[in-house]
């Protein structure tokens, strides 16, 4: 049988044909945790990358022995876009060294255009989360609040009437005020409550 990793690097169409004959190979990883997802991303074989996830249900977030997803090995912006924008790979995942893909690629300085693209996404993510309650929260000013959990930025500010999209949900406002006044904000429980609040703000409350 042909080596699927070599085919993924040199002959993506042949790799897909092999996988259709032997689907169990699709999610395989070698002794270093290297997967076909990593190979397809690294060699910029985008159709193979999409097929692995959509047809063979390979988890896009497979990690190698260093805790790195395929995003850490991309060499082109096109491959990074497929992983992040189409296949929804998390850009905030860190490797065993505590680096995101962006940080590692920036440090290695081999693919600056990829690093620039990922840095732009990180900036957008940081700016997309904003919790606003008239500039103060239960008597607490933004300067008084403890830092947000790692990887999450919370912005508290004022809104003018032109920006106001309507009256805030009273229950959601109550939860914001309650969270801001908690003494355990910096604990595991407090951070979990903050993350849940942000998820509810973006996705809507969970249905029990």
């Amino acid at each position: 049988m042909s080596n699927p990793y070599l085919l993924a690097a040199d002959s993506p169409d042949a790799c897909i044909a092999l996988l259709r004959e032997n689907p169990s190979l699709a999610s395989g990883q070698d002794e270093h945790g290297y997967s076909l997802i990593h190979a397809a991303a690294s060699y910029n074989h985008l159709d193979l990358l999409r097929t692995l996830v959509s047809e063979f249900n390979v988890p896009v977030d497979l990690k190698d022995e260093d805790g790195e997803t395929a995003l850490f090995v991309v060499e082109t912006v096109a491959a990074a876009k497929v992983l992040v924008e189409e296949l929804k790979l998390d850009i905030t995942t860190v490797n065993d060294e505590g680096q995101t893909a962006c940080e590692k690629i920036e440090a290695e300085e081999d693919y600056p255009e990829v690093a620039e693209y990922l840095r732009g996404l990180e900036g957008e993510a940081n700016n997309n989360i904003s919790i606003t309650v008239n500039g103060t929260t239960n008597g607490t000013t933004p300067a008084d609040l403890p830092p947000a959990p790692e990887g999450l930025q919370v912005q508290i500010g004022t809104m003018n009437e032109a920006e106001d999209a309507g009256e805030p949900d009273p229950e959601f406002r109550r939860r914001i005020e309650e969270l801001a006044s908690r003494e355990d904000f910096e604990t595991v429980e407090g951070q979990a409550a903050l993350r849940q609040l942000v998820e509810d703000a973006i996705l809507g409350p969970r249905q029990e």
Side-chain angles (χ1 to χ4, degrees), residues 169 171-172 175 195-208:
D169 184 290
E171 173 62 17
F172 192 67
R175 291 177 61 193
R195 291 186 184 280
Q196 184 59 57
L197 182 63
V198 172
E199 285 182 16
D200 289 349
I202 297 172
L203 304 176
R206 294 179 179 176
Q207 299 296 322
E208 298 296 340

Side-chain angles (χ1 to χ4, degrees), residues 66-139:
D66 297 315
E68 297 182 348
T69 66
L71 192 59
F72 286 77
V73 299
V74 297
E75 300 180 3
T76 68
V77 172
K81 283 186 174 182
V82 169
L83 285 170
V84 176
E85 298 181 20
E86 294 185 30
L87 303 179
K88 308 305 179 184
L89 182 58
D90 186 358
I91 64 172
T92 66
T93 298
V94 297
N95 61 14
D96 293 346
E97 300 291 325
Q99 296 173 305
T100 64
C102 178
E103 290 168 343
K104 180 180 180 181
I105 294 170
E106 279 183 335
E108 293 178 342
E109 300 182 341
D110 290 329
Y111 308 104
E113 67 283 355
V114 176
E116 182 180 1
Y117 165 71
L118 294 176
R119 182 61 68 193
L121 291 180
E122 289 183 353
E124 290 177 9
N126 285 337
N127 289 330
N128 280 341
I129 300 176
S130 177
I131 300 177
T132 304
V133 185
N134 295 332
T136 62
T137 306
N138 197 25

